[in-house]
Amino acid sequence: PFKGRSPAMKLLIGGWNLNSIVCYNSGRPFTVGSGVDNARTGAGGQRADIISDPYFSGDRSHNDMINEYLKRAAFVPNAVGTYGTLGRNTYIGPGFANVDLGIVKNFTVKERFRTQFRFEAFNALNHANFSNPTASLNSGNNMRITSAGEPRILQLALRLAF
């Protein structure tokens, strides 16, 4: 688009390429575990019993969601002699949103030598992607989100091809 401009201007502002990857996903499923062996089998994987609605009504802040994703009081350990009433992967964790951007400029030094300059931004919008909550009733962090995905990461690269 810079036809008729000086060679130096063409070199600096012409020929840039922009690329992106945009990814939006729903959350990952998780199971609320009882954390105790009430089935008396010596095996883990026993699920909790549900006694009330685990969902909060209305909009909630991120801070409230992190501290208590689902109502803790809605779950109790499985009854003695049972594996629990909840099904496997009954609940869905927080969603995932990510935008990666890249800017690339190719320079031809000589016929056989090319240089490429790259600037890349991973999670360019610095969106907080929370992990699933801790879902074991015997944990002190029960229904609390304790981790998140990577923050924004910037990368510069210079490549010589010959």
Side-chain angles (χ1 to χ4, degrees), residues 2 13 15 29 32 45 64 71 94 105 108 112 117 146 151:
F2 300 104
I13 60 176
V32 180
D64 290 342
K71 292 179 185 174
K105 169 75 171 154
T108 302
R112 293 183 53 218
F117 170 76
T146 58

mmCIF file of all heavy atoms in Angstrom, residues 2 13 15 29 32 45 64 71 94 105 108 112 117 146 151:
data_model
loop_
_atom_site.group_PDB
_atom_site.id
_atom_site.type_symbol
_atom_site.label_atom_id
_atom_site.label_comp_id
_atom_site.label_asym_id
_atom_site.label_seq_id
_atom_site.Cartn_x
_atom_site.Cartn_y
_atom_site.Cartn_z
ATOM 1 N N PHE A 2 2.158 1.133 0.009
ATOM 2 C CA PHE A 2 3.020 2.302 0.089
ATOM 3 C C PHE A 2 3.748 2.532 -1.228
ATOM 4 O O PHE A 2 4.911 2.876 -1.245
ATOM 5 C CB PHE A 2 4.008 2.148 1.248
ATOM 6 C CG PHE A 2 3.304 1.988 2.566
ATOM 7 C CD1 PHE A 2 3.224 0.745 3.171
ATOM 8 C CD2 PHE A 2 2.691 3.063 3.172
ATOM 9 C CE1 PHE A 2 2.563 0.585 4.365
ATOM 10 C CE2 PHE A 2 2.024 2.912 4.368
ATOM 11 C CZ PHE A 2 1.954 1.675 4.967
ATOM 12 N N ILE A 13 7.639 0.385 7.109
ATOM 13 C CA ILE A 13 6.210 0.292 7.395
ATOM 14 C C ILE A 13 5.436 -0.606 6.442
ATOM 15 O O ILE A 13 4.256 -0.848 6.652
ATOM 16 C CB ILE A 13 5.553 1.687 7.444
ATOM 17 C CG1 ILE A 13 5.720 2.418 6.123
ATOM 18 C CG2 ILE A 13 6.096 2.505 8.577
ATOM 19 C CD1 ILE A 13 5.015 3.753 6.072
ATOM 20 N N GLY A 15 4.724 -4.388 4.421
ATOM 21 C CA GLY A 15 4.944 -5.820 4.498
ATOM 22 C C GLY A 15 4.760 -6.472 5.847
ATOM 23 O O GLY A 15 5.254 -7.567 6.084
ATOM 24 N N PRO A 29 -15.794 -30.181 33.060
ATOM 25 C CA PRO A 29 -16.647 -30.824 34.063
ATOM 26 C C PRO A 29 -15.851 -31.246 35.300
ATOM 27 O O PRO A 29 -14.657 -31.486 35.222
ATOM 28 C CB PRO A 29 -17.211 -32.044 33.328
ATOM 29 C CG PRO A 29 -16.261 -32.307 32.225
ATOM 30 C CD PRO A 29 -15.626 -30.999 31.858
ATOM 31 N N VAL A 32 -18.068 -33.616 42.484
ATOM 32 C CA VAL A 32 -17.912 -33.306 43.903
ATOM 33 C C VAL A 32 -17.736 -34.624 44.647
ATOM 34 O O VAL A 32 -18.636 -35.477 44.666
ATOM 35 C CB VAL A 32 -19.127 -32.527 44.452
ATOM 36 C CG1 VAL A 32 -18.934 -32.213 45.931
ATOM 37 C CG2 VAL A 32 -19.332 -31.242 43.656
ATOM 38 N N GLY A 45 -12.882 -42.351 45.228
ATOM 39 C CA GLY A 45 -13.812 -42.025 44.152
ATOM 40 C C GLY A 45 -15.265 -41.983 44.576
ATOM 41 O O GLY A 45 -16.153 -42.013 43.730
ATOM 42 N N ASP A 64 -16.408 -13.311 44.724
ATOM 43 C CA ASP A 64 -17.368 -14.224 45.353
ATOM 44 C C ASP A 64 -17.293 -15.606 44.709
ATOM 45 O O ASP A 64 -17.365 -16.623 45.394
ATOM 46 C CB ASP A 64 -18.787 -13.676 45.240
ATOM 47 C CG ASP A 64 -19.021 -12.456 46.107
ATOM 48 O OD1 ASP A 64 -18.220 -12.231 47.047
ATOM 49 O OD2 ASP A 64 -19.987 -11.715 45.841
ATOM 50 N N LYS A 71 -22.520 -23.651 46.363
ATOM 51 C CA LYS A 71 -22.811 -23.606 47.807
ATOM 52 C C LYS A 71 -22.242 -24.842 48.498
ATOM 53 O O LYS A 71 -22.608 -25.973 48.178
ATOM 54 C CB LYS A 71 -24.315 -23.540 48.041
ATOM 55 C CG LYS A 71 -24.959 -22.265 47.593
ATOM 56 C CD LYS A 71 -26.453 -22.310 47.836
ATOM 57 C CE LYS A 71 -27.131 -21.086 47.278
ATOM 58 N NZ LYS A 71 -28.601 -21.180 47.388
ATOM 59 N N PRO A 94 -15.553 -22.857 35.508
ATOM 60 C CA PRO A 94 -15.529 -21.589 34.793
ATOM 61 C C PRO A 94 -15.053 -21.756 33.346
ATOM 62 O O PRO A 94 -14.250 -22.632 33.045
ATOM 63 C CB PRO A 94 -14.519 -20.742 35.574
ATOM 64 C CG PRO A 94 -14.304 -21.441 36.855
ATOM 65 C CD PRO A 94 -14.652 -22.868 36.655
ATOM 66 N N LYS A 105 7.261 -9.401 10.418
ATOM 67 C CA LYS A 105 7.819 -8.599 9.323
ATOM 68 C C LYS A 105 8.997 -9.370 8.739
ATOM 69 O O LYS A 105 9.899 -9.783 9.456
ATOM 70 C CB LYS A 105 8.290 -7.246 9.849
ATOM 71 C CG LYS A 105 9.115 -6.426 8.884
ATOM 72 C CD LYS A 105 8.272 -5.809 7.814
ATOM 73 C CE LYS A 105 9.155 -4.831 7.031
ATOM 74 N NZ LYS A 105 8.735 -4.625 5.717
ATOM 75 N N THR A 108 14.285 -8.965 3.348
ATOM 76 C CA THR A 108 15.222 -9.673 2.480
ATOM 77 C C THR A 108 16.537 -8.919 2.511
ATOM 78 O O THR A 108 16.618 -7.772 2.065
ATOM 79 C CB THR A 108 14.679 -9.756 1.045
ATOM 80 O OG1 THR A 108 13.422 -10.420 1.090
ATOM 81 C CG2 THR A 108 15.624 -10.518 0.149
ATOM 82 N N ARG A 112 19.709 -14.772 -0.935
ATOM 83 C CA ARG A 112 19.705 -16.016 -0.158
ATOM 84 C C ARG A 112 19.531 -15.805 1.343
ATOM 85 O O ARG A 112 19.424 -16.762 2.086
ATOM 86 C CB ARG A 112 21.013 -16.778 -0.414
ATOM 87 C CG ARG A 112 21.108 -17.283 -1.844
ATOM 88 C CD ARG A 112 22.365 -18.098 -2.075
ATOM 89 N NE ARG A 112 22.470 -19.167 -1.086
ATOM 90 C CZ ARG A 112 23.626 -19.543 -0.540
ATOM 91 N NH1 ARG A 112 24.753 -18.944 -0.867
ATOM 92 N NH2 ARG A 112 23.655 -20.528 0.324
ATOM 93 N N PHE A 117 11.310 -10.728 11.764
ATOM 94 C CA PHE A 117 11.101 -10.180 13.099
ATOM 95 C C PHE A 117 9.685 -10.561 13.530
ATOM 96 O O PHE A 117 8.737 -10.400 12.770
ATOM 97 C CB PHE A 117 11.258 -8.655 13.092
ATOM 98 C CG PHE A 117 10.824 -8.014 14.374
ATOM 99 C CD1 PHE A 117 11.629 -8.074 15.498
ATOM 100 C CD2 PHE A 117 9.605 -7.356 14.456
ATOM 101 C CE1 PHE A 117 11.216 -7.500 16.684
ATOM 102 C CE2 PHE A 117 9.195 -6.780 15.638
ATOM 103 C CZ PHE A 117 9.999 -6.843 16.751
ATOM 104 N N THR A 146 -8.501 -22.146 43.468
ATOM 105 C CA THR A 146 -7.185 -21.820 44.009
ATOM 106 C C THR A 146 -6.124 -21.618 42.935
ATOM 107 O O THR A 146 -4.968 -21.372 43.267
ATOM 108 C CB THR A 146 -6.713 -22.927 44.969
ATOM 109 O OG1 THR A 146 -6.690 -24.173 44.260
ATOM 110 C CG2 THR A 146 -7.625 -23.041 46.178
ATOM 111 N N PRO A 151 -0.951 -15.785 32.756
ATOM 112 C CA PRO A 151 -1.255 -14.385 32.443
ATOM 113 C C PRO A 151 -0.727 -14.046 31.048
ATOM 114 O O PRO A 151 -0.237 -14.922 30.336
ATOM 115 C CB PRO A 151 -0.477 -13.624 33.516
ATOM 116 C CG PRO A 151 0.693 -14.505 33.794
ATOM 117 C CD PRO A 151 0.181 -15.908 33.665
#
